[in-house]
Amino acid sequence: RTVLFTLPNEDMRKRLYQTRVEQLVKNTPAFNPMGQKPARSIEITQILDSYMLMLPVTEAAATSQPADVVFNDEVDLSDQPLLALFNSRMQGSDWRMSQRFSTPTYDGFGISADFDLSDQHHYMYRCPRCNHHQIPEFNRKFVTVPKLPDNLSEDYSQFDLEWIDDYKLDINTAYLHCEKCREPMNLKDSSLREWVAKYPNRTHHRGYR
């Protein structure tokens, strides 16, 4: 099998290879079978009869290179039409696996546009009392600060430190709660956190944010 792993430019490719990939491959026994002399360079990593090609997003790198799997890293910093060219390299494969990763920059662009087309998984908290799934936010809907007057800001990013003294607040008594039933959240219980798809019927394209 042939895997293409792309990065936006040559500098990022070199940095990622030298700081993460090179030592990982060299020091992992499963990647180094006895008696083998695999091809190893910044561009080609051979494991048995398979190859990973780490490439910058350029037209030359994408041309005439068949692939079974394409990983596009830092999608939003990459040339978008060229990413499509890389993914067209899988037309002759029976795998055709594509995965893309990035920090989003603009809504409707790059990785954000990909996520919009997907089943849209979010990492959510499930209330054990009412089974409601939610993503806590820093506001009154999810956070209770005892003795804080109701007429003050709903958005706690506007919290004024003077309120602590003015209303004699004990911040240590503040707590997160379910937005539906107001049951206190137990964020230490990892069994109550899970990935939930907004559109579970979109089985052709999975996305995680």
Side-chain angles (χ1 to χ4, degrees):
R1 298 294 177 176
T2 299
V3 176
L4 306 185
F5 189 105
T6 74
L7 287 153
N9 54 54
E10 179 61 34
D11 287 343
M12 293 186 72
R13 176 180 79 143
K14 183 178 180 180
R15 185 164 61 249
L16 185 71
Y17 180 80
Q18 291 179 336
T19 60
R20 298 186 183 181
V21 177
E22 185 175 25
Q23 293 302 314
L24 173 66
V25 172
K26 183 184 298 183
N27 297 322
T28 303
F31 295 159
N32 298 280
M34 293 290 292
Q36 299 286 325
K37 293 184 177 180
R40 297 283 165 84
S41 69
I42 191 172
E43 182 169 322
I44 300 175
T45 298
Q46 179 185 6
I47 300 172
L48 296 177
D49 295 327
S50 294
Y51 296 85
M52 181 187 76
L53 276 61
M54 183 173 278
L55 304 169
V57 178
T58 64
E59 185 171 0
T63 301
S64 300
Q65 177 55 61
D68 300 291
V69 180
V70 175
F71 295 136
N72 300 127
D73 200 2
E74 298 293 354
V75 166
D76 280 26
L77 300 179
S78 301
D79 185 309
Q80 302 300 303
L82 287 182
L83 291 184
L85 180 59
F86 272 100
N87 281 272
S88 72
R89 300 293 91 195
M90 296 184 290
Q91 291 178 355
S93 173
D94 57 349
W95 277 26
R96 292 191 292 275
M97 181 188 299
S98 173
Q99 293 191 9
R100 309 180 112 194
F101 312 90
S102 190
T103 299
T105 53
Y106 300 104
D107 288 342
F109 171 81
I111 204 71
S112 173
D114 279 347
F115 183 76
D116 290 344
L117 293 172
S118 76
D119 55 4
Q120 298 187 21
H121 279 78
H122 290 85
Y123 199 49
M124 307 184 80
Y125 175 86
R126 178 183 60 80
C127 176
R129 180 180 179 185
C130 68
N131 285 321
H132 176 60
H133 286 88
Q134 57 215 289
I135 301 176
E137 297 175 353
F138 195 48
N139 54 39
R140 285 182 183 271
K141 188 164 65 171
F142 291 99
V143 182
T144 290
V145 181
K147 297 183 180 180
L148 184 67
D150 292 339
N151 62 324
L152 299 179
S153 176
E154 291 280 329
D155 180 1
Y156 285 160
S157 67
Q158 306 298 320
F159 197 99
D160 190 332
L161 288 177
E162 292 183 358
W163 295 351
I164 297 175
D165 299 321
D166 292 346
Y167 303 107
K168 296 180 174 55
L169 305 180
D170 182 359
I171 296 301
N172 290 324
T173 63
Y175 62 93
L176 282 161
H177 55 74
C178 173
E179 64 175 333
K180 185 176 180 181
C181 72
R182 303 189 70 82
E183 174 80 4
M185 289 185 177
N186 180 11
L187 296 182
K188 293 181 179 180
D189 186 350
S190 60
S191 69
L192 299 177
R193 301 193 300 268
E194 57 188 317
W195 288 100
V196 180
K198 184 176 181 180
Y199 301 105
N201 290 330
R202 297 183 185 179
T203 56
H204 64 290
H205 191 162
R206 306 198 77 176
Y208 298 86
R209 184 171 186 172

